[in-house]
Amino acid sequence: MNYALLLLAGSSKRFNNKTPKQFYLVKGKPVYYYPLKALNDSPLIDHIVILTLENKVIDVFNDVKNFKFNKVKAVISGGNTRNETVKFGLNKLKENVQDEDMILIHDASRALLDLHTIEVAINETKKKSATTFALHSYDTLVKASNNYEVTSYLERNEIFRLQTPQTFKAKIIMDAYNHMKETHDDTELVFLNKKKIHLLKGSERLFKITNFDDIKKLESYLK
């Protein structure tokens, strides 16, 4: 079985709008509709759990029903942090999953998820156990002190920008969350649990919506 957790429980503070970015309407549909449709349409995804804001659970449930997304098996509240939200999703799955099942985790704000990306994620994770999409950083990157003085230069050939989906064999991600620490990323938690993370070639289409310029970018892609 291949499971997917779709995360739309963030507060979107940087979006600077009363409507969180994942619920902002683009071409008449909320942003989260687009990655959810890809997951529901994928022949490789069997079971979807949506993690959302507590005050949005009923709205999302009704959307799922109206859009006829039949692979969604649960819509539940997320937590106060990303790690806590994923933990809630894994807890919802844990009674049913087997060690070798796949669990794909995706941020709803990366709206342009597609069937090919899902296929690569599932097939590569079957071989490599823990994967994330990523892009090389082509800018020169530095570390700086609190007063903005450069302290060191990073080797950009070794620097990547991580994206989602991030996909794991169930045992690996479940074990990592049994030793949960607060991190920025699921792969970081798995890495801290001494498991290897394999990078998959990312895409600029998997950009994360942060501000209104990103909304315009999404609208342009959808044309």
Side-chain angles (χ1 to χ4, degrees):
M1 290 277 285
N2 299 325
Y3 297 84
L5 301 181
L6 184 64
L7 311 183
L8 45 146
S11 59
S12 296
K13 292 178 182 177
R14 289 175 293 178
F15 192 56
N16 198 27
N17 188 274
K18 64 180 182 180
T19 300
K21 59 191 176 185
Q22 61 272 37
F23 301 105
Y24 193 84
L25 295 183
V26 176
K27 295 180 72 67
K29 295 181 175 64
V31 164
Y32 80 84
Y33 164 88
Y34 298 100
L36 179 55
K37 185 176 189 304
L39 291 169
N40 195 77
D41 287 352
S42 171
L44 296 179
I45 298 298
D46 303 301
H47 183 124
I48 302 168
V49 173
I50 298 175
L51 288 301
T52 189
L53 298 168
E54 185 176 7
N55 64 349
K56 291 288 188 178
V57 170
I58 294 174
D59 291 341
V60 173
F61 178 84
N62 288 334
D63 281 349
V64 166
K65 186 176 179 180
N66 290 337
F67 293 135
K68 296 181 171 58
F69 289 145
N70 61 299
K71 292 183 183 178
V72 176
K73 306 304 180 185
V75 179
I76 61 176
S77 298
N80 294 320
T81 66
R82 190 183 192 284
N83 284 150
E84 192 173 50
T85 294
V86 173
K87 179 71 170 178
F88 289 170
L90 295 176
N91 285 344
K92 188 69 177 177
L93 297 179
K94 67 181 181 181
E95 291 183 3
N96 298 314
V97 298
Q98 305 297 313
D99 287 352
E100 295 296 307
D101 287 343
M102 300 291 117
I103 298 179
L104 179 150
I105 302 171
H106 187 65
D107 298 330
S109 58
R110 297 184 190 273
L112 292 173
L113 181 65
D114 58 50
L115 298 182
H116 175 70
T117 298
I118 296 168
E119 180 180 6
V120 171
I122 294 296
N123 289 339
E124 290 299 310
T125 306
K126 286 179 180 177
K127 296 182 284 187
K128 297 173 180 175
S129 298
T131 70
T132 180
F133 286 86
L135 286 175
H136 256 299
S137 179
Y138 295 111
D139 296 321
T140 298
L141 299 175
V142 299
K143 285 186 176 181
S145 63
N146 289 337
N147 60 352
Y148 292 95
E149 290 184 2
V150 172
T151 58
S152 64
Y153 285 76
L154 304 179
E155 177 50 64
R156 65 184 181 184
N157 291 334
E158 298 177 354
I159 302 297
F160 290 79
R161 294 184 283 129
L162 299 191
Q163 302 176 310
T164 68
Q166 299 184 340
T167 312
F168 311 90
K169 288 187 176 178
K171 179 173 172 50
I172 285 177
I173 190 67
M174 293 285 190
D175 285 350
Y177 268 91
N178 284 336
H179 304 89
M180 191 175 85
K181 302 174 184 178
E182 197 57 42
T183 64
H184 299 291
D185 186 271
D186 298 307
T187 58
E188 183 181 1
L189 197 56
V190 170
F191 180 80
L192 292 173
N193 207 37
K194 303 189 184 306
K195 300 296 182 183
K196 292 181 179 180
I197 308 297
H198 294 269
L199 301 185
L200 306 176
K201 185 177 180 180
S203 167
E204 293 293 350
R205 286 176 56 89
L206 288 172
F207 69 93
K208 186 175 185 178
I209 294 171
T210 304
N211 53 44
F212 275 96
D213 286 340
D214 297 323
I215 291 290
K216 292 176 183 177
K217 188 175 176 182
L218 174 59
E219 290 173 338
S220 178
Y221 270 110
L222 289 174
K223 288 179 182 178

